[in-house]
Structure formats: structure tokens, C-alpha cells
């Protein structure tokens, strides 16, 4: 575009000059050099005003509005957007009006003016019924998805973003697909579905690399950095923070490279001109002009040397800038490492506190001599926990899965564990169903103190052994009870509701289990084991495989069964990340 601009200027082709200025402005905008982007778009506008090309004037206004938006100058941005819209409405150019409505909707969405954004997106939707532009339909759906994400209507956000993705995949618009992935990922992250969200953000980042969209890459790295911080994964947070800083510096550096390229082109033209002049002088050699020729050569040499010195100075200055940037990155890395250490230290201490709510192994073995507990937190602290209490001849044991994992899950687990303790000790409840009813009541009572609408809670499988009459009873919230009796795996289905805020709460059912054979084994578990991705095709382990392992190995010692479960889990997972906390309890009664 730089060469094209120089060529158009030489032949004074004004339409070509305007077009080249616009493309150069867009290039600068894409690498975030907004000062140069604005300068070139203004040059384009001035020529179009001179030529009185109304369609191109409107186009220039729209391009200038985008630059002002990037510069956070909202007043100028909306001023130029409406200027563009006014011209296009006069020209009755529906395609351009559609683009203007969409851009104005985007503007108001960025300004958090949701009603105004709705107004212009709806106008754009009506125009698009006539235009029938599939790509624009996808963009509108994506924008509406972004708007619903902004107001935290995640269901609607996912609906519109998936519509956009479907169309973009049909028309094979890679940039559109990349942005759709990013929007879906951001929505899933906002919903607390970190693993699914990360998967979409990574897809977005891969496509952004492929199409060369540095801004989207930067946003992907920033999102991943923030998410891994929330998930208490300092190593990954640091990795993506460094990638974010590197691409941010790269974006800023591209503007400098463009300027160097311009200088190199001018230098090449200068050298060529000097060479042509020397050749002309040689052809017209006259003895009386020999002295003048020598002076010209010396002058050319001085000019060349001067240019070389100036260029060397310019490159040295760039080198010093790069050094300063590297130093900034090094300092930032040091800060992140310090913060990482603080986070890890805090989490390690939090783990000690959480471990205090878990029953000691000796206490479990005293009540249930033959047992194993496979407990694998995803992070340093966990949402899964196991609980046990012995009172008045009743032994209670449970495997529970609190909402979330990591720090949020651990906090919920403390609330839920305390509620279980109160249900059996303070309220003297002994039937598992009634214990879960009271636990739900206590958990809701705790969270209702918050001004926010907290819907956290837990899924649980709770078993009770009444030693006085040798009877078993059980109740579950979403998590079932499995037991193997005489070589057959039997299942008791849980109530399909969580311990927490639900739309239509019902009392939990207490199931009475007749005394099984002494060799019967009971299993209480959460969903983390079956949900783990892995194997040759990277799929979920699923409950069917878990059933088979438990059945095949039920005659082995409890410690051996635990080892088999652990080794199978690790082999299946391989190099993939653990997706959730894991808790499986096996015991004979």
C-alpha cells in the first residue's frame, strides 16, 4: 500500500490515493497504531470531500469512527458514525445503512447503553430482512449474544452466539468463527464453566493466529490469564500473562516496523536516484567538467554516509526501545512470580484448614475397618469432600461434591460440612433423608444472608449404619449409591435435586437397605472420576467403565481396589488436565 500510494501520487490519481490512504489507515488500526490510522483515514476523507464522492465520504466517516472508538473518544466516535448514517440514508444504500446500524449498536453496547444497543440492532435486523446478508446476520447474532452476555442473560447469549457460529461455519468465515468462539468462551467462563470456556477461548486463539488477528489473540491470552488466576493455577496464569505482554508489545512494535519499512523504501529510491545521476554524468564526460564530476561524487558519498549514519542511529534507537521493553517484561515477570508465590502459600494454608474438616483415616477405619477413600483434588483445595460422624450408635459417612472446585468450591464445602454436623448434633436427626432436608435448610439460611442471589450448594451420597439393629439406610442428592452383593452390582437412584436453592424443592427420600452379605461392598462417589477426559480419543471415562472396574475387582483387598482405581484414572487421563475433583469411598459393613 505504501508503494501504491507513492505511485498514485506520482501520476496524481486521486481516487487511487484515497483508496491507498484508507487501506494504510486500516493496517495501522489493525496493529493498534491509532495515531497513524487516524492520520491516513483523515487524508482519505479530505480527498473524497474534494472529489465529492458521497459514498466514499460515508465510508471514511465510518472508518474514522472505528479509530476514535479504539482511542476511547466516544463523543467523536458516535459523531462520525451518525455522519456516515446520514449520508447512507440519503443515498438509500441499504447495505451501508445495515453496517452503520450494526456499528452504532456495537458502540452503545460498549458504552453499556443496552436499550440504545437493542434499538439499533433491531433496526439492523429489519434492514437485513431486505438485504439478506448471511455474514451480516452472523455478525448481528454475535453482537446480540455479546449484549446478552453483558446483562448476564447467559442462556440468550449462548443461543445467539451459537446461531452466529452456525452461519459463519456455513459461509466459512474464519474471522467470524474466531470471534464466535471467543464470545462463547467468555459466556461459559462467566457461567463458571471454566474448562469448557477455556476450550472455546483456545479455539478462538488458534483461529486468530491463522487469520492474523493480533487484537483477538491478545484478548484470548488476557482472558486465559485471568481465568487461570481464578482457578488458582499460577503456572498457567503466568504463561498466558507473558504471552499477553509479548503480543501487546508486538502490536506496538508493528507500528514501528511499518515506519522503518517506509524509511527503507525512501532510502532505496534515494540511492537509485543518486546512481542514475552518476550514470548520466559519465555519459556526458567532458574534460572541462572533470573537477565538477569529482565534487558530485564526493557530495553523493557524503549524502550516502549521512543517510547511513541517520539510519544506523534510528536502528540503535529501536534497539534501546526493545531493551527497555524487555526490562519491563522482566520486571512484570518478577511481580507475577512474587504474586504467584503469595497465592500458592495462601492456598497451601487454606488446604490445611480444609483438611481439618475431613475425618482422619483412623476415625473412618474404627467405624468401618475395611474401607478405602480415593480423594484427588483438582487444585490445591477442593470442592469435593468426604464427611463422617459417629453418634448414639449411628455411623454416618458421605461423599459430597460442592458447587465449583478450587477456592470457591472449598468455601462452599466448609459451609456444607458444617450444616451436616449441625443436622446430626444440634438437631439430633438420624434418618439420612431428614438430615439432607435440614442440611439444605441450613445452607440456604447461610447464603440468604448475602445481598446477592447465591445458588451454590452440593450433591451428596449419605450412608447411615445403625449398629444397634445392624441396619443400613441411605439418601442422596443427585449422587447415587452403588453396592455389589453376591457378585451383582445394584444401584439406588438419588433424588434429582441438589442441596441448595432449587425451583421445586421436595423432601429427600430415605432408603432402607436390608443387611447384605458380609462381603458386600458399598460405593459412594462424586462425578469427577467418570467425567475425566482421556484415552486414545480424548473422551469421557463414563460410569459404564467405572462399573466394570468395580465388578471385576470386588473380591480384592480394599487397598488393592483403591490402587487399581488410581492407576486406571492416571492412565486414562494421560497428559490431559484433570477436569474436576475426584472422591470415591468403598467400604464393607
Amino acid at each position: 500500500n505504501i508503494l501504491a500510494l507513492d505511485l498514485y501520487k506520482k501520476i496524481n490519481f486521486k481516487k487511487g490515493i484515497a483508496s491507498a490512504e484508507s487501506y494504510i489507515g486500516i493496517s495501522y488500526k489493525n496493529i493498534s497504531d491509532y495515531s497513524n490510522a487516524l492520520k491516513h483515514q483523515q487524508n482519505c476523507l479530505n480527498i473524497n470531500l474534494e472529489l465529492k464522492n458521497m459514498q466514499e465520504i460515508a465510508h471514511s466517516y465510518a472508518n474514522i469512527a472505528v479509530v476514535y472508538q479504539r482511542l476511547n473518544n466516544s463523543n467523536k466516535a458516535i459523531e462520525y458514525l451518525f455522519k456516515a448514517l446520514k449520508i447512507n440514508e440519503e443515498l438509500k444504500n441499504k447495505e451501508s445503512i445495515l453496517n452503520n446500524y450494526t456499528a452504532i449498536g456495537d458502540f452503545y453496547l460498549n458504552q453499556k447503553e443496552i436499550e440504545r444497543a437493542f434499538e439499533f440492532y433491531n433496526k439492523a435486523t429489519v434492514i437485513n430482512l431486505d438485504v439478506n446478508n448471511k455474514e451480516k446476520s452472523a455478525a448481528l447474532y454475535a453482537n446480540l449474544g455479546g449484549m446478552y452476555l453483558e446483562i448476564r442473560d447467559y442462556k440468550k447469549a449462548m443461543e445467539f452466539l451459537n446461531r452466529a457460529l452456525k452461519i459463519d461455519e456455513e459461509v466459512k468465515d474464519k474471522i467470524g468463527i474466531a470471534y464466535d468462539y471467543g464470545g462463547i468462551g467468555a459466556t461459559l467462563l462467566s457461567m463458571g464453566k471454566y474448562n469448557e470456556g477455556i476450550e472455546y477461548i483456545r479455539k478462538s486463539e488458534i483461529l486468530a493466529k491463522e487469520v492474523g488477528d493480533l487484537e483477538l489473540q491478545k484478548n484470548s491470552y488476557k482472558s486465559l490469564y485471568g481465568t487461570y488466576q481464578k482457578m488458582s493455577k499460577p503456572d498457567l496464569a503466568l504463561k498466558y500473562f507473558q504471552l499477553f505482554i509479548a503480543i501487546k508489545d508486538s502490536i506496538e512494535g508493528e507500528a514501528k516496523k511499518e515506519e522503518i519499512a517506509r524509511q527503507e523504501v525512501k532510502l532505496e529510491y534515494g540511492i537509485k536516484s543518486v546512481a542514475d545521476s552518476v550514470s548520466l554524468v559519465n555519459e556526458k564526460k567532458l574534460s572541462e567538467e572533470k573537477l565538477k564530476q569529482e565534487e558530485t561524487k564526493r557530495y553523493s558519498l557524503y549524502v550516502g554516509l549521512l543517510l547511513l549514519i541517520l539510519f544506523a542511529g534510528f536502528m540503535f534507537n529501536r534497539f534501546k526501545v526493545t531493551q527497555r521493553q524487555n526490562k519491563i517484561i522482566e520486571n512484570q515477570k518478577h511481580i507475577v512470580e512474587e504474586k504467584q508465590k503469595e497465592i500458592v502459600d495462601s492456598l497451601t494454608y487454606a488446604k490445611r484448614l480444609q483438611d481439618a474438616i475431613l475425618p482422619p483415616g483412623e476415625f473412618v477405619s474404627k467405624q468401618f475397618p475395611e474401607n478405602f477413600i480415593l480423594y484427588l483434588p483438582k487444585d490445591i483445595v477442593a470442592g469435593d469432600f468426604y464427611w463422617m460422624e459417629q453418634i448414639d450408635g449411628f455411623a454416618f459417612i458421605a461423599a459430597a461434591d460442592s458447587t465449583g472446585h478450587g477456592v470457591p468450591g472449598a468455601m462452599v464445602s466448609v459451609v456444607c460440612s458444617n450444616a451436616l454436623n449441625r443436622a446430626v448434633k444440634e438437631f439430633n436427626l438420624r434418618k439420612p433423608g431428614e438430615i439432607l432436608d435440614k442440611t439444605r435448610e441450613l445452607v440456604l439460611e447461610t447464603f440468604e444472608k448475602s445481598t446477592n442471589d447465591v445458588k451454590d450448594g452440593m450433591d451428596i451420597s449419605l450412608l447411615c449404619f445403625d449398629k444397634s439393629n445392624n441396619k443400613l439406610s441411605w439418601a442422596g442428592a443427585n449422587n447415587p449409591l452403588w453396592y455389589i452383593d453376591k457378585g451383582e452390582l445394584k444401584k439406588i437412584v438419588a433424588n434429582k435435586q441438589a442441596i441448595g436453592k432449587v425451583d421445586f424443592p421436595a423432601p429427600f427420600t430415605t432408603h432402607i437397605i436390608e443387611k447384605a452379605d458380609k462381603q458386600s461392598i458399598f460405593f459412594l462417589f462424586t462425578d469427577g472420576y467418570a467425567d475425566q477426559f482421556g484415552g486414545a480419543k480424548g473422551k469421557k471415562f463414563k460410569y459404564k467403565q467405572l462399573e466394570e472396574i468395580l465388578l471385576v475387582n470386588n473380591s480384592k483387598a480394599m487397598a488393592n481396589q483403591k490402587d487399581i482405581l488410581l492407576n486406571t484414572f492416571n492412565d486414562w487421563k494421560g497428559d490431559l488436565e484433570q477436569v474436576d475433583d475426584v472422591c470415591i469411598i468403598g467400604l464393607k459393613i
Side-chain angles (χ1 to χ4, degrees), residues 6-13:
D6 288 335
L7 178 62
Y8 288 141
K9 282 182 176 178
K10 282 186 178 180
I11 62 175
N12 198 30
F13 179 45

Side-chain angles (χ1 to χ4, degrees), residues 102 106 121 134-144 164 168 180:
T102 304
D106 293 346
Y121 285 149
K134 269 197 171 184
E135 289 86 348
K136 189 55 65 176
S137 293
L140 280 169
Y141 288 144
N143 293 336
L144 286 165
D168 282 328
D180 297 337

Side-chain angles (χ1 to χ4, degrees), residues 463-483:
L463 185 67
C464 170
F465 177 41
D466 182 354
K467 295 181 180 179
S468 64
N469 56 25
N470 217 29
K471 286 188 176 180
L472 290 166
S473 56
W474 174 88
N478 287 326
N479 289 347
L481 173 70
W482 290 0
Y483 64 100

Side-chain angles (χ1 to χ4, degrees), residues 283-343:
E283 289 173 4
K284 297 179 179 181
K285 282 183 183 178
L286 296 171
S287 56
E288 65 268 25
E289 294 182 3
K290 280 185 180 180
L291 182 59
K292 191 179 289 185
Q293 181 185 19
E294 291 300 322
E295 287 176 355
T296 302
K297 286 182 179 179
R298 281 197 297 274
Y299 175 74
S300 300
L301 177 61
Y302 295 151
V303 170
L305 285 171
L306 179 60
L307 286 172
L308 185 61
I309 290 167
L310 288 172
F311 187 68
F314 179 80
M315 294 305 293
F316 179 72
N317 182 53
R318 295 304 92 210
F319 172 70
K320 295 298 287 182
V321 169
T322 302
Q323 275 192 322
R324 284 198 298 273
Q325 289 173 340
N326 288 341
K327 189 173 181 180
I328 290 169
I329 292 171
E330 193 62 37
N331 289 338
Q332 289 168 333
K333 179 182 176 183
H334 178 70
I335 291 167
V336 171
E337 286 173 347
E338 285 294 318
K339 292 294 181 187
Q340 174 187 343
K341 184 178 182 300
E342 289 175 16
I343 292 167

